[in-house]
Amino acid sequence: MAKSDYTTLYEQSLANPETFWGEQAKSLKWTTEPATILSTDEHGFYRWFAGGEMNTCYLALDRHIEEGRGEQLALIYDSPVTQTIIRYTYNQLLDEVSRCAGMLQQLGVEKGDRVILYMPMIPQAAVAMLACARIGAVHSVVFGGFAAHELALRIDDARPKVLLTASAGIEIDKIIPYGPLVQSALQEAEHQMDHVVMWQRDVQTYDEPTFKNWAELLDDAPAVGCTTVAATDPLYILYTSGTTGKPKGIVRDNGGHAVALRFSMQTIYDVQPGDVYWAASDVGWVVGHSYIVYAPLLTGCTTILYEGKPIRTPDAGAFWRVVEQHRVKVLFTAPTGFRAIKKEDPDGELFKKYDVSSLKYLFLAGERCDIATLQWAEQLLNIPVIDHWWQTESGWPMLANPAGLGLMPVVPGSAGKPVPGFDVQVLHGDTHTPCAPNEEGAVVVKLPLPPGCLPTLWENPERFHAGYLEAFPGYYFTGDGGYKNDDGYVFITGRIDDVINVAGHRLSTAEMEEIVAAHPGVAECAVIGVEDQLKGQVPVGFVVLKGGINMTDSELSRELEKMIREKIGPIACFKQAMTVQRLPKTRSGKILRRIMRCIADDKPYQAPSTIEDMAVLGEIKDVWNSRT
Ligand code: COA
Ligand code: AMP
């Protein structure tokens, strides 16, 4: 039997990565062709396309105009919360971007300087990202749902010259003023930046004389051309939650990123230039970076920047309205979004009101996709619904069912097979030997990772090595657990570290524990992620109070919720804390969070022989079962 396109391509990609990716790199217009395809840097980390020179913004905009796509739509801003739709052709987007780049240059931003963007989902966010890329500056977008403290942490780590922000974001039923958050972050951060530039929105302006007015600066800004950068130069830093309170600065380079994303659009998403592609996410997340901004534009598609939610903006038909209105071919979102739609419109009554015949695929990622949601979406849409798996670190999917290579059967519960370039394996945590089919272990990727993945952490090669490369020498450790079935489909069962996913938002329970532990009444605590029907997971705190402290669980929950909202942000959705007499631990003092999670999720578990006192597990179960 002939091998499928997938098998052939996959085997080629692993047998000779240099030939494979060297071939893919030809899809780019390089200023200087790379001298080597794969090499190692001074830390021994793999680097792609060293010696190559290019500009990501040129490839995303100018190139398409040169090739005749100037009048094609590049970006559609669709904002149900402001009742606005703005369409930008490639010519118009280039004009916006090159003037924004000129504005940044006038503010003194040079190649290699960092620029932080703390922005809602408005076109200026994408424009500013591309403007940074145009002049070789390194952007770092901070999700608008993060609190001032999180912004301050990122300011101190990235040390930006300029911070770009807007006066307000708009959530389902409220306006979020960004000004006070920015000011509080500036007060907390040690690093002082040169300028804060604010885009004033009609819905709510913010008056702070030290902030520069974005629109006024643009009036005087020249349109500037592209600065050539090295393929290995950083394009952006995106901070993500790790297993400590300090977020990790994932670095994305220019060359590998452009090659990988271009490849992914055709191979995984079956998308061609001119197609309309919609990732219903936020530019503050990796999905937004890769599939709202860079990949669709690098491919010459029309991308949609949606300032709304799947529900209540105005209703659960919102997605179908957008698909119909803009003739979307591919929709990519998180399962949570679909669970929300399913809850509000279980029989698809709103869905029936729209013509969604343009929609060919639905891709889901960001969290585990439960089978009920997958099947509901399949029945509703009657198109392939494809779960795929990736991380901020990888920048593009590592597991998928590559639609561009001819779909394989969809196996519910699995995020698909390894994408060409990714040698995904499941290993035993202790011996590092391969797990048998259907046996659960640690999900790792054999090095080298393909182009597009993180080459290192921002100014922290030691943490990169310790966090990802040390646990399984020769492999990148993803932090996820899972198994492969007999046919090579991989099932991701969840994080095996302290990271949780709340409504597709990646958060660290270790960071929450630091905040909970800072409460004056708390002696000790454990925060775990428990299953939630809508959001996938939500955090719950188990707290041992200090002697003499008397608080009800609801008082404690209220106070801790406030502290976590203030430090991390509302997206943490921390609402429940419960008092326990003691926490389950090993004799060496390690808290058995995984077992607590199993108890809360009503799953079987095996207590380790090193447990200090088995009776504590029963106590935890009783407290959990008696929760209100
Ligand atoms: N800026 C400021 N606040 C934000 C925010 C942002 N960008 N995003 C969310 N928040 C706030 C919300 O207003 C809410 O605040 P509240 O507790 O004061 O009401 C809180 O954070 C929790 O928000 P969310 O988790 O979005 O819950 P929700 O109940 O408002 O909406 C869903 C539920 C399912 C509609 C929503 O979670 C959703 O659209 N999920 C899809 C997620 C997604 O696309 N993830 C991207 C990864 S691919
Ligand atoms: P983020 O870095 O925010 O994209 O989060 C990455 C994490 O989300 C992964 O390590 C997984 O734990 C989880 N994740 C993403 N996609 C999937 C998926 N399709 N199935 C299961 N988990 C997923």
Side-chain angles (χ1 to χ4, degrees):
M1 206 169 78
K3 283 184 180 177
S4 69
D5 287 351
Y6 163 75
T7 310
T8 310
L9 210 64
Y10 185 67
E11 287 175 358
Q12 282 171 359
S13 75
L14 297 197
N16 197 336
E18 290 192 65
T19 311
F20 185 84
W21 290 109
E23 199 52 41
Q24 298 305 327
K26 292 182 184 154
S27 65
L28 261 55
K29 251 183 158 175
W30 296 87
T31 315
T32 311
E33 299 270 337
T36 54
I37 301 301
L38 181 64
S39 52
T40 47
D41 65 13
E42 71 273 24
H43 304 291
F45 301 152
Y46 286 105
R47 300 307 308 252
W48 289 96
F49 311 120
E53 291 185 311
M54 35 81 73
N55 181 284
T56 298
C57 180
Y58 167 79
L59 295 170
L61 299 177
D62 308 59
R63 179 186 182 180
H64 302 305
I65 295 169
E66 288 168 13
E67 291 175 0
R69 293 192 175 275
E71 286 307 300
Q72 183 201 299
L73 287 181
L75 185 141
I76 302 172
Y77 165 57
D78 185 310
S79 168
V81 293
T82 58
Q83 307 270 322
T84 313
I85 293 178
I86 305 176
R87 296 177 172 83
Y88 297 85
T89 63
Y90 271 93
N91 283 328
Q92 288 165 333
L93 191 58
L94 175 63
D95 179 55
E96 298 279 343
V97 169
S98 46
R99 283 187 305 114
C100 182
M103 171 185 95
L104 290 172
Q105 278 188 341
Q106 286 191 328
L107 292 170
V109 177
E110 294 173 5
K111 182 171 162 176
D113 287 340
R114 275 80 58 208
V115 176
I116 284 200
L117 276 66
Y118 185 56
M119 298 284 294
M121 283 286 286
I122 57 175
Q124 287 69 29
V127 166
M129 289 164 78
L130 291 160
C132 289
R134 193 163 188 82
I135 59 172
V138 181
H139 61 71
S140 187
V141 184
V142 180
F143 176 59
F146 277 128
H149 169 68
E150 293 288 333
L151 178 57
L153 287 176
R154 287 153 174 80
I155 290 173
D156 278 338
D157 199 69
R159 290 174 290 107
K161 219 172 213 179
V162 171
L163 185 145
L164 300 175
T165 187
S167 54
I170 306 168
E171 278 301 293
I172 289 181
D173 47 11
K174 53 184 172 286
I175 292 173
I176 316 278
Y178 278 31
L181 293 169
V182 171
Q183 285 200 298
S184 156
L186 295 178
Q187 263 165 19
E188 184 181 332
E190 281 175 18
H191 172 77
Q192 298 296 311
M193 67 201 81
D194 295 356
H195 307 283
V196 175
V197 180
M198 183 171 266
W199 182 267
Q200 298 290 351
R201 299 192 72 180
D202 293 344
V203 65
Q204 190 172 104
T205 56
Y206 184 74
D207 190 22
E208 165 53 48
T210 60
F211 291 180
K212 294 195 154 47
N213 183 301
W214 187 325
E216 285 172 12
L217 292 181
L218 269 187
D219 282 343
D220 300 326
V224 299
C226 294
T227 302
T228 299
V229 298
T232 49
D233 279 343
L235 169 69
Y236 68 77
I237 309 165
L238 179 57
Y239 288 87
T240 190
S241 300
T243 50
T244 70
K246 194 170 178 282
K248 300 191 276 198
I250 305 299
V251 173
R252 194 81 59 212
D253 65 12
N254 275 274
H257 175 249
V259 172
L261 290 191
R262 191 75 189 76
F263 173 76
S264 76
M265 285 301 265
Q266 273 159 356
T267 312
I268 298 174
Y269 299 103
D270 189 21
V271 161
Q272 310 302 328
D275 285 342
V276 182
Y277 185 95
W278 178 24
S281 178
D282 188 289
V283 288
W285 304 114
V286 66
V287 175
H289 281 63
S290 295
Y291 292 104
I292 295 175
V293 181
Y294 287 110
L297 296 177
L298 286 164
T299 310
C301 295
T302 303
T303 187
I304 295 184
L305 191 111
Y306 175 69
E307 189 181 28
K309 300 271 172 172
I311 53 169
R312 293 168 58 202
T313 58
D315 58 29
F319 274 17
W320 319 129
R321 193 269 304 159
V322 175
V323 169
E324 176 185 282
Q325 193 160 355
H326 307 302
R327 309 298 297 152
V328 173
K329 175 175 173 182
V330 173
L331 169 59
F332 175 174
T333 190
T336 304
F338 260 77
R339 285 195 293 268
I341 298 173
K342 180 175 151 207
K343 194 165 162 225
E344 306 240 327
D345 186 24
D347 300 322
E349 293 305 327
L350 291 163
F351 172 80
K352 286 178 204 149
K353 286 172 42 183
Y354 299 95
D355 169 8
V356 297
S357 55
S358 62
L359 194 65
K360 298 290 176 259
Y361 303 101
L362 168 66
F363 283 87
L364 298 171
E367 55 176 323
R368 207 178 68 78
C369 181
D370 56 288
I371 295 177
T373 302
L374 180 98
Q375 291 178 338
W376 181 80
E378 278 176 339
Q379 275 162 19
L380 183 80
L381 297 170
N382 201 21
I383 56 170
V385 178
I386 302 170
D387 181 13
H388 62 330
W389 168 77
W390 51 304
Q391 309 180 304
T392 308
E393 289 85 344
S394 67
W396 63 294
M398 298 185 277
L399 293 174
N401 190 338
L405 300 176
L407 275 183
M408 299 180 278
V410 169
V411 177
S414 164
K417 291 195 180 183
V419 165
F422 290 95
D423 187 353
V424 178
Q425 300 189 18
V426 181
L427 301 184
H428 290 111
D430 43 6
T431 58
H432 298 183
T433 50
C435 290
N438 302 308
E439 188 187 7
E440 199 170 329
V443 181
V444 298
V445 185
K446 194 163 186 292
L447 298 174
L449 293 171
C453 298
L454 82 170
T456 186
L457 292 179
W458 177 248
E459 293 186 337
N460 205 340
E462 299 79 18
R463 191 175 180 193
F464 175 58
H465 189 265
Y468 299 103
L469 308 180
E470 220 164 65
F472 295 86
Y475 297 86
Y476 161 82
F477 174 45
T478 65
D480 278 311
Y483 61 94
K484 258 188 203 185
N485 75 4
D486 295 310
D487 301 320
Y489 282 86
V490 182
F491 294 69
I492 299 294
T493 48
R495 297 289 302 199
I496 45 185
D497 55 14
D498 299 330
V499 169
I500 60 170
N501 245 288
V502 181
H505 305 139
R506 174 167 160 181
L507 299 163
S508 157
T509 53
E511 186 176 5
M512 294 187 208
E513 282 181 9
E514 280 180 21
I515 298 166
V516 173
H519 185 287
V522 172
E524 229 191 339
C525 68
V527 176
I528 56 166
V530 304
E531 282 179 5
D532 180 80
Q533 280 217 324
L534 176 66
K535 300 194 175 190
Q537 281 186 307
V538 288
V540 171
F542 289 82
V543 172
V544 180
L545 291 174
K546 285 181 184 159
I549 301 284
N550 273 320
M551 289 181 87
T552 64
D553 282 358
S554 57
E555 280 165 349
L556 181 67
S557 300
R558 254 198 322 276
E559 289 182 18
L560 293 176
E561 178 183 2
K562 186 162 175 285
M563 288 169 77
I564 288 185
R565 279 179 84 93
E566 271 168 18
K567 285 280 185 193
I568 298 179
I571 47 158
C573 284
F574 182 101
K575 301 212 184 295
Q576 194 164 31
M578 42 193 77
T579 312
V580 292
Q581 292 308 311
R582 35 194 196 151
L583 293 168
K585 290 184 188 168
T586 60
R587 281 193 285 277
S588 60
K590 196 171 170 293
I591 298 173
L592 295 166
R593 295 180 181 80
R594 226 167 121 76
I595 293 186
M596 293 173 74
R597 227 161 63 201
C598 292
I599 293 175
D601 292 342
D602 203 16
K603 291 209 172 115
Y605 60 85
Q606 195 163 14
S609 56
T610 53
I611 190 165
E612 196 180 40
D613 183 351
M614 195 68 96
V616 189
L617 298 180
E619 292 168 21
I620 296 285
K621 195 169 183 168
D622 289 344
V623 170
W624 177 251
N625 288 340
S626 62
R627 73 192 182 282
T628 44

Short mmCIF file of all heavy atoms in Angstrom, two decimals, residues 240 285-287 364-369 387-393 415 478-480 492 494-495 501 504-506, ligand 2:
data_model
loop_
_atom_site.label_atom_id
_atom_site.label_comp_id
_atom_site.label_asym_id
_atom_site.label_seq_id
_atom_site.Cartn_x
_atom_site.Cartn_y
_atom_site.Cartn_z
N THR A 240 5.06 33.20 29.64
CA THR A 240 4.06 32.19 29.94
C THR A 240 4.30 31.64 31.33
O THR A 240 5.39 31.78 31.88
CB THR A 240 4.07 31.06 28.88
OG1 THR A 240 2.93 30.24 29.08
CG2 THR A 240 5.31 30.20 28.95
N TRP A 285 -2.04 35.85 23.68
CA TRP A 285 -1.65 34.44 23.79
C TRP A 285 -0.88 34.03 22.56
O TRP A 285 -0.95 34.69 21.51
CB TRP A 285 -2.88 33.55 23.96
CG TRP A 285 -3.73 33.93 25.13
CD1 TRP A 285 -4.99 34.43 25.08
CD2 TRP A 285 -3.38 33.86 26.52
NE1 TRP A 285 -5.46 34.66 26.34
CE2 TRP A 285 -4.49 34.32 27.25
CE3 TRP A 285 -2.25 33.44 27.21
CZ2 TRP A 285 -4.50 34.39 28.65
CZ3 TRP A 285 -2.26 33.51 28.60
CH2 TRP A 285 -3.37 33.97 29.31
N VAL A 286 -0.25 32.87 22.64
CA VAL A 286 0.54 32.43 21.50
C VAL A 286 -0.34 32.17 20.27
O VAL A 286 0.06 32.44 19.14
CB VAL A 286 1.37 31.18 21.86
CG1 VAL A 286 0.49 29.98 22.14
CG2 VAL A 286 2.39 30.87 20.78
N VAL A 287 -1.56 31.69 20.50
CA VAL A 287 -2.46 31.46 19.35
C VAL A 287 -2.68 32.77 18.60
O VAL A 287 -2.70 32.81 17.37
CB VAL A 287 -3.81 30.87 19.82
CG1 VAL A 287 -4.78 30.75 18.66
CG2 VAL A 287 -3.61 29.52 20.47
N LEU A 364 -9.45 23.01 17.21
CA LEU A 364 -9.54 23.33 18.64
C LEU A 364 -8.19 23.07 19.30
O LEU A 364 -7.52 22.09 18.97
CB LEU A 364 -10.60 22.45 19.30
CG LEU A 364 -12.04 22.63 18.79
CD1 LEU A 364 -12.95 21.56 19.37
CD2 LEU A 364 -12.58 24.01 19.14
N ALA A 365 -7.80 23.94 20.21
CA ALA A 365 -6.56 23.72 20.97
C ALA A 365 -6.55 24.62 22.19
O ALA A 365 -7.42 25.47 22.36
CB ALA A 365 -5.33 24.01 20.13
N GLY A 366 -5.55 24.44 23.00
CA GLY A 366 -5.36 25.30 24.17
C GLY A 366 -5.64 24.57 25.46
O GLY A 366 -5.19 24.97 26.52
N GLU A 367 -6.39 23.48 25.37
CA GLU A 367 -6.73 22.69 26.55
C GLU A 367 -7.26 21.37 26.03
O GLU A 367 -7.55 21.24 24.82
CB GLU A 367 -7.83 23.40 27.36
CG GLU A 367 -9.02 23.69 26.47
CD GLU A 367 -10.20 24.30 27.18
OE1 GLU A 367 -10.47 23.92 28.32
OE2 GLU A 367 -10.88 25.14 26.56
N ARG A 368 -7.43 20.41 26.93
CA ARG A 368 -7.95 19.11 26.51
C ARG A 368 -9.37 19.27 25.97
O ARG A 368 -10.17 20.02 26.53
CB ARG A 368 -7.98 18.17 27.72
CG ARG A 368 -7.86 16.71 27.39
CD ARG A 368 -7.84 15.90 28.67
NE ARG A 368 -9.14 15.96 29.34
CZ ARG A 368 -10.21 15.26 28.98
NH1 ARG A 368 -10.15 14.42 27.97
NH2 ARG A 368 -11.35 15.38 29.64
N CYS A 369 -9.63 18.60 24.87
CA CYS A 369 -10.97 18.72 24.28
C CYS A 369 -11.78 17.51 24.69
O CYS A 369 -11.46 16.38 24.30
CB CYS A 369 -10.86 18.80 22.76
SG CYS A 369 -12.47 18.96 22.01
N ASP A 387 -8.96 18.44 16.85
CA ASP A 387 -8.24 18.80 18.07
C ASP A 387 -6.76 18.76 17.74
O ASP A 387 -6.29 17.84 17.06
CB ASP A 387 -8.58 17.76 19.15
CG ASP A 387 -7.92 18.05 20.48
OD1 ASP A 387 -7.40 19.17 20.66
OD2 ASP A 387 -7.92 17.14 21.34
N HIS A 388 -6.03 19.75 18.14
CA HIS A 388 -4.57 19.70 17.96
C HIS A 388 -3.89 20.33 19.17
O HIS A 388 -4.49 21.11 19.91
CB HIS A 388 -4.13 20.27 16.62
CG HIS A 388 -4.44 21.73 16.37
ND1 HIS A 388 -5.51 22.39 16.92
CD2 HIS A 388 -3.80 22.64 15.61
CE1 HIS A 388 -5.51 23.64 16.51
NE2 HIS A 388 -4.48 23.82 15.71
N TRP A 389 -2.65 19.99 19.35
CA TRP A 389 -1.97 20.27 20.62
C TRP A 389 -0.69 21.06 20.41
O TRP A 389 0.11 20.71 19.55
CB TRP A 389 -1.66 18.94 21.29
CG TRP A 389 -0.74 18.96 22.46
CD1 TRP A 389 -1.04 19.33 23.73
CD2 TRP A 389 0.62 18.52 22.49
NE1 TRP A 389 0.06 19.15 24.55
CE2 TRP A 389 1.10 18.65 23.81
CE3 TRP A 389 1.49 18.02 21.52
CZ2 TRP A 389 2.39 18.31 24.19
CZ3 TRP A 389 2.79 17.68 21.90
CH2 TRP A 389 3.22 17.82 23.22
N TRP A 390 -0.56 22.11 21.16
CA TRP A 390 0.70 22.85 21.14
C TRP A 390 0.83 23.70 22.36
O TRP A 390 -0.03 23.70 23.23
CB TRP A 390 0.88 23.61 19.84
CG TRP A 390 -0.25 24.49 19.37
CD1 TRP A 390 -1.54 24.10 19.16
CD2 TRP A 390 -0.17 25.86 19.04
NE1 TRP A 390 -2.25 25.17 18.70
CE2 TRP A 390 -1.43 26.26 18.63
CE3 TRP A 390 0.85 26.80 19.04
CZ2 TRP A 390 -1.71 27.56 18.22
CZ3 TRP A 390 0.59 28.08 18.63
CH2 TRP A 390 -0.68 28.45 18.23
N GLN A 391 1.92 24.45 22.42
CA GLN A 391 2.24 25.24 23.61
C GLN A 391 2.83 26.57 23.17
O GLN A 391 3.32 26.70 22.05
CB GLN A 391 3.33 24.54 24.43
CG GLN A 391 3.08 23.11 24.74
CD GLN A 391 4.22 22.51 25.55
OE1 GLN A 391 5.37 22.56 25.15
NE2 GLN A 391 3.89 21.96 26.70
N THR A 392 2.86 27.50 24.10
CA THR A 392 3.53 28.77 23.83
C THR A 392 4.96 28.49 23.35
O THR A 392 5.47 29.13 22.43
CB THR A 392 3.59 29.61 25.13
OG1 THR A 392 2.27 29.69 25.66
CG2 THR A 392 4.12 31.01 24.87
N GLU A 393 5.59 27.51 23.97
CA GLU A 393 6.98 27.20 23.64
C GLU A 393 7.14 26.75 22.20
O GLU A 393 8.11 27.12 21.53
CB GLU A 393 7.50 26.08 24.56
CG GLU A 393 7.73 26.49 26.00
CD GLU A 393 6.48 26.41 26.87
OE1 GLU A 393 5.37 26.33 26.32
OE2 GLU A 393 6.61 26.45 28.11
N ALA A 415 -5.29 14.23 20.28
CA ALA A 415 -4.97 15.49 19.59
C ALA A 415 -4.24 15.20 18.27
O ALA A 415 -3.65 16.09 17.68
CB ALA A 415 -4.13 16.38 20.49
N THR A 478 7.83 18.48 27.59
CA THR A 478 6.71 19.39 27.34
C THR A 478 5.96 19.78 28.61
O THR A 478 5.20 20.74 28.59
CB THR A 478 5.68 18.73 26.40
OG1 THR A 478 5.11 17.59 27.07
CG2 THR A 478 6.30 18.28 25.09
N GLY A 479 6.11 18.98 29.68
CA GLY A 479 5.33 19.25 30.90
C GLY A 479 3.99 18.54 30.87
O GLY A 479 3.25 18.55 31.85
N ASP A 480 3.66 17.92 29.74
CA ASP A 480 2.38 17.21 29.63
C ASP A 480 2.58 15.71 29.78
O ASP A 480 3.64 15.17 29.44
CB ASP A 480 1.74 17.46 28.25
CG ASP A 480 1.00 18.78 28.20
OD1 ASP A 480 0.21 19.05 29.11
OD2 ASP A 480 1.24 19.56 27.27
N ILE A 492 -3.26 13.47 24.99
CA ILE A 492 -2.66 14.30 26.04
C ILE A 492 -3.59 14.24 27.24
O ILE A 492 -4.76 14.60 27.14
CB ILE A 492 -2.49 15.76 25.56
CG1 ILE A 492 -1.57 15.82 24.33
CG2 ILE A 492 -1.99 16.67 26.69
CD1 ILE A 492 -0.12 15.42 24.57
N GLY A 494 -2.89 15.67 30.33
CA GLY A 494 -2.86 16.86 31.20
C GLY A 494 -1.45 17.14 31.68
O GLY A 494 -0.53 16.34 31.48
N ARG A 495 -1.29 18.28 32.30
CA ARG A 495 0.03 18.69 32.78
C ARG A 495 0.48 17.79 33.92
O ARG A 495 -0.33 17.41 34.77
CB ARG A 495 -0.01 20.14 33.28
CG ARG A 495 -0.36 21.17 32.25
CD ARG A 495 0.68 21.43 31.23
NE ARG A 495 1.94 21.87 31.74
CZ ARG A 495 2.88 22.50 31.01
NH1 ARG A 495 2.65 22.77 29.73
NH2 ARG A 495 4.01 22.84 31.52
N ASN A 501 -4.87 24.99 33.18
CA ASN A 501 -5.48 25.66 32.05
C ASN A 501 -6.89 26.07 32.41
O ASN A 501 -7.76 25.22 32.54
CB ASN A 501 -5.56 24.67 30.89
CG ASN A 501 -4.70 25.11 29.75
OD1 ASN A 501 -5.04 26.07 29.07
ND2 ASN A 501 -3.59 24.43 29.57
N GLY A 504 -8.71 27.84 28.75
CA GLY A 504 -7.66 27.97 27.73
C GLY A 504 -6.56 28.93 28.13
O GLY A 504 -5.64 29.17 27.36
N HIS A 505 -6.63 29.49 29.33
CA HIS A 505 -5.59 30.40 29.80
C HIS A 505 -4.63 29.64 30.69
O HIS A 505 -5.03 29.02 31.67
CB HIS A 505 -6.19 31.57 30.60
CG HIS A 505 -7.25 32.32 29.86
ND1 HIS A 505 -8.40 32.76 30.45
CD2 HIS A 505 -7.33 32.71 28.57
CE1 HIS A 505 -9.15 33.39 29.56
NE2 HIS A 505 -8.52 33.37 28.40
N ARG A 506 -3.35 29.72 30.35
CA ARG A 506 -2.35 28.93 31.09
C ARG A 506 -1.89 29.69 32.33
O ARG A 506 -1.43 30.83 32.22
CB ARG A 506 -1.19 28.67 30.14
CG ARG A 506 -0.01 28.00 30.77
CD ARG A 506 0.91 27.53 29.69
NE ARG A 506 2.23 27.30 30.18
CZ ARG A 506 3.24 26.89 29.42
NH1 ARG A 506 3.04 26.68 28.13
NH2 ARG A 506 4.43 26.71 29.93
P1 AMP B 2 -0.23 27.41 26.20
O1 AMP B 2 1.24 27.50 26.35
O2 AMP B 2 -0.98 28.49 26.87
O3 AMP B 2 -0.63 27.24 24.75
O4 AMP B 2 -0.66 26.09 26.94
C1 AMP B 2 -0.09 24.87 26.57
C2 AMP B 2 -0.70 23.75 27.34
O5 AMP B 2 -2.10 23.67 27.07
C3 AMP B 2 -0.15 22.41 26.94
O6 AMP B 2 1.06 22.09 27.58
C4 AMP B 2 -1.28 21.48 27.33
O7 AMP B 2 -1.24 21.18 28.69
C5 AMP B 2 -2.51 22.31 27.04
N1 AMP B 2 -3.04 22.01 25.71
C6 AMP B 2 -2.94 22.75 24.60
N2 AMP B 2 -3.59 22.17 23.58
C7 AMP B 2 -4.10 21.01 24.06
C8 AMP B 2 -4.85 19.93 23.48
N3 AMP B 2 -5.25 19.97 22.23
N4 AMP B 2 -5.17 18.89 24.28
C9 AMP B 2 -4.79 18.85 25.58
N5 AMP B 2 -4.08 19.84 26.17
C10 AMP B 2 -3.74 20.90 25.43
#
